[in-house]
Amino acid sequence: MTERGAASSINLPGDFVERIRSARAVVVFTGAGISAESGVPTYRGGGGTITWRGLAPAELSSPRLLRSDPRMFWDWFLFRRGFLSTVEPNPGHCSIAQWEDRFKSFLLVTQNVDGLHAKAGSRSMVELHGNIWRNRCQSCNEAIADLADDPATTLPYCPCGGLIRPDVVLFGETLPARAWRSACEAAMTCDLFITIGTSAAVYPAAELPMIARRGGALMIEVNPEETDLSALSDVSLRGKAGEILPELSRSLFEGE
Ligand code: BJW
Ligand code: ZN
């Protein structure tokens, strides 16, 4: 059954409230839309899509640009770090952080690299596509906490000779193995799977809702727009995450 509420109003049938409250293992799966109300542009959906020097993220966050023009590649990430240093988590991130203690088992699986979930207080979390604030060596994979050189002026290199780069997952690169394994296990065994603010167009992350569905989880989607996941969901809540999620928290937990 699919319940389609009006924009940013929650229209959950009574037994859904009880089913959500009594869920034992919960997975929340987020994408760029959760950060949209913090002012972070999305990649391909929702209107706030980013371009830089006339190029789309798929051309910029690419192994090809890293190889052919590491200076431009770094400049793109420095531009984003500069911008991201000015933004804050929104009520959507904060609601998710509060849900962590409400369920016996809880895992937040995010595709986002912006670090806003952690800033909002989420701890039980895996980052499938890395984190823009970390660096690692392209050759030996070593995490590099402190850069000897300012990447704005000098491209940073590892003692092994490899180029140091932001620790994010580009197209064609594999996801961090432990994060992916944890996400798959949690999706397979959860009884409630909530998808928030993702177009679910990027694989293998987009397989997670399908894995949860096959395992029999109750599926809820929060997104102002219809996506490929909508048909897979028991409930699609149409609206902005920063409005829907605090409302959902109130419906579920107020007066406890
Ligand atoms: C709101 C809102 C509000 C707005 N509230 N909501 C199987 C089939 C086909 C292709 C493949 C496949 N398996 C692998 C591939 C290839 C590729 C892929 O998926 N391509 C597709 C595009 C077709 N995948 C890969 O290459 C992955 N690696 C891999 O598979 O390795 C194995 C392998 C290796 C070699 C060969 C083959 C396989 C890696 C994927 C890495 C993704 N990286 C990025 C960039 C990160 C770095 C950076 O930031 O610079 O990750 S791409 C970008 O997309 C980013 C995101 O995490 C990811 C997902 O995007 P997301 O979050 O869904 O954002 P949007 O913008 O798409 O959607 C926003 C949504 O929010 C919209 O729905 C709005 O409506 C909504 N919204 N406002 C709530 N207020
Ligand atoms: Zn190295």
Side-chain angles (χ1 to χ4, degrees):
M1 180 182 76
T2 300
E3 286 291 317
R4 304 202 186 280
S8 75
S9 84
I10 298 196
N11 191 11
L12 283 173
D15 69 320
F16 271 80
V17 171
E18 208 30 62
R19 283 175 75 185
I20 297 170
R21 276 196 192 129
S22 61
R24 292 169 64 80
V26 177
V27 173
V28 170
F29 175 53
T30 63
I34 184 76
S35 296
E37 288 151 271
S38 294
V40 183
T42 60
Y43 294 89
R44 59 187 70 71
T49 310
I50 193 171
T51 56
W52 182 73
R53 296 193 188 166
L55 296 172
E59 298 165 277
L60 296 161
S61 293
S62 74
R64 183 188 297 184
L65 186 66
L66 175 62
R67 272 193 309 272
S68 67
D69 193 344
R71 179 70 268 159
M72 184 171 173
F73 181 87
W74 258 105
D75 286 346
W76 153 242
F77 279 95
L78 291 173
F79 161 73
R80 287 173 62 207
R81 283 182 182 177
F83 171 76
L84 287 172
S85 68
T86 67
V87 304
E88 293 296 330
N90 65 58
H93 296 104
C94 297
S95 298
I96 296 169
Q98 287 160 7
W99 294 349
E100 219 168 275
D101 301 326
R102 299 280 186 169
F103 299 97
K104 193 165 186 294
S105 156
F106 181 93
L107 185 67
L108 168 61
V109 178
T110 188
Q111 299 169 85
N112 297 349
V113 300
D114 58 28
L116 287 177
H117 281 302
K119 207 170 176 184
S122 283
R123 294 288 168 263
S124 177
M125 170 177 62
V126 294
E127 294 174 314
L128 291 182
H129 294 158
N131 186 304
I132 197 170
W133 299 105
R134 290 194 307 256
N135 299 306
R136 69 174 171 85
C137 172
Q138 169 73 3
S139 296
C140 71
N141 233 11
E142 188 74 18
I144 315 281
D146 297 306
L147 296 178
D149 298 311
D150 176 2
T153 51
T154 314
L155 286 176
Y157 285 90
C158 175
C160 84
L163 180 70
I164 298 172
R165 53 167 278 188
D167 187 12
V168 297
V169 182
L170 309 172
F171 279 117
E173 295 182 335
T174 48
L175 275 56
R178 195 185 300 171
W180 177 240
R181 209 167 33 245
S182 302
C184 285
E185 278 168 16
M188 260 183 258
T189 53
C190 70
D191 49 12
L192 173 61
F193 190 96
I194 308 178
T195 299
I196 303 164
T198 176
S199 60
V202 173
Y203 287 82
E207 284 170 16
L208 291 170
M210 300 175 205
I211 293 172
R213 174 92 274 182
R214 281 200 295 274
L218 181 69
M219 307 286 292
I220 298 178
E221 178 189 45
V222 179
N223 197 312
E225 294 175 12
E226 188 162 342
T227 72
D228 287 351
L229 286 185
S230 304
L232 207 69
S233 303
D234 296 290
V235 182
S236 287
L237 298 170
R238 293 270 166 257
K240 296 180 176 182
E243 295 168 8
I244 294 262
L245 300 187
E247 267 189 70
L248 188 57
S249 284
R250 277 192 293 277
S251 314
L252 295 175
F253 305 120
E254 210 160 67
E256 271 186 355

